[in-house]
Amino acid sequence: SEDEDCLGWRLGSFQPTGWDYRQYEMRAYEVFASPRGRAAILCGGLVWRLAMELLGNDGLRRAAQGPSAGILEHCYKVQPRHGPPYYDDALTPDEEYIICGTYKVVDRHNRQPNHISWWPRPSQWKSSGLNLGHWTALAEEWFVGRLRRIHRGEALPLNGKDWKSHIRFHSGGVKLAFAIQEESARFISDTL
C-alpha cells in the first residue's frame, strides 16, 4: 500500500492522539521484531533506544543472532584492505520512516507532503548536540522526557525544521561525534 513507507498520509488539520502513538508503536515493533530489525539495534543512537524501549532485553538477543537471511537485499558493506568484504543488515529509508513515526501531511495548497514524526530521523539525530557517539545520560534524560510528554498528550510530531531546533543543544558535541566517527573508521580501515 501507499502507507508502507510511513504511518500514512494525513490532511493538514491532523491532530494526533494517544491512539495514534500506540498505532505508531505497533508499526515500529513490527519492524524491530522482523528478522532485519536487528539492524535498528546496531544503528545505535536514538534508533537503538527506540528499539530497546519496545523490545526490552530481547533487542540485545536479536542483535547477537547475526545477519538476517535477506542480508544482500539491503545491507552495508565493509571492505578491508585484504580479504573478502563483510556485510551486515542496514535499515531502509522506509523502515527509518516507520521507526521514527513519520506521517506525510498534505494541505490543499501544497502538493508536496510535509513530513512530521514523533521522533527525529537518524540523520537529524546524528547532527544534533545529543549525539556524542554513544548514548549519554543527557540523551536518556531527553528521551524519557519526550516520551513522558507524548504519553501525557503534551508533545506532538514535529517537522524537520522543528526537530533541528529541538535537538540542537551544543554544537561542540556534533564536532566531537564526527571526529570520533572519522577516527574510528580510519582505525578500522587501517586494522582490517
Side-chain angles (χ1 to χ4, degrees):
S1 88
E2 291 180 356
D3 294 344
E4 289 300 311
D5 65 341
C6 67
L7 298 180
W9 291 77
R10 302 292 189 269
L11 295 176
S13 59
F14 175 55
Q15 291 295 312
T17 64
W19 182 86
D20 293 298
Y21 191 78
R22 286 186 296 281
Q23 291 298 113
Y24 148 69
E25 286 181 318
M26 288 191 303
R27 287 286 306 278
Y29 181 85
E30 288 173 6
V31 173
F32 294 141
S34 73
R36 288 183 5 82
R38 65 181 288 280
I41 303 290
L42 301 177
C43 275
L46 182 61
V47 172
W48 163 82
R49 185 60 181 87
L50 289 166
M52 295 305 292
E53 183 69 22
L54 293 178
L55 292 175
N57 289 334
D58 191 43
L60 297 175
R61 183 189 60 77
R62 288 176 181 279
Q65 288 178 340
S68 69
I71 184 70
L72 297 179
E73 291 173 25
H74 195 80
C75 64
Y76 70 89
K77 172 181 162 182
V78 175
Q79 178 65 59
R81 277 195 247 174
H82 307 288
Y86 297 97
Y87 297 90
D88 207 346
D89 292 307
L91 294 171
T92 66
D94 292 350
E95 289 166 330
E96 288 180 0
Y97 272 130
I98 292 169
I99 288 169
C100 295
T102 304
Y103 301 94
K104 294 179 181 177
V105 179
V106 294
D107 60 38
R108 52 179 94 141
H109 305 295
N110 189 356
R111 296 189 70 126
Q112 283 291 80
N114 182 26
H115 294 83
I116 61 170
S117 59
W118 290 106
W119 300 98
R121 302 244 317 142
S123 59
Q124 295 164 320
W125 181 261
K126 285 179 184 173
S127 63
S128 80
L130 289 169
N131 176 34
L132 297 178
H134 63 280
W135 195 253
T136 64
L138 179 62
E140 182 66 13
E141 182 181 328
W142 176 86
F143 177 82
V144 169
R146 168 104 180 133
L147 187 60
R148 187 178 307 120
R149 288 188 303 281
I150 289 170
H151 287 155
R152 290 182 186 157
E154 299 168 356
L156 297 173
L158 302 173
N159 64 32
K161 182 179 178 184
D162 289 338
W163 273 123
K164 188 172 184 176
S165 66
H166 273 72
I167 57 176
R168 178 175 295 146
F169 294 97
H170 305 289
S171 63
V174 175
K175 292 176 185 173
L176 175 62
F178 282 124
I180 291 170
Q181 187 174 2
E182 285 179 9
E183 286 303 313
S184 297
R186 187 179 356 262
F187 173 80
I188 290 171
S189 175
D190 289 349
T191 304
L192 296 177

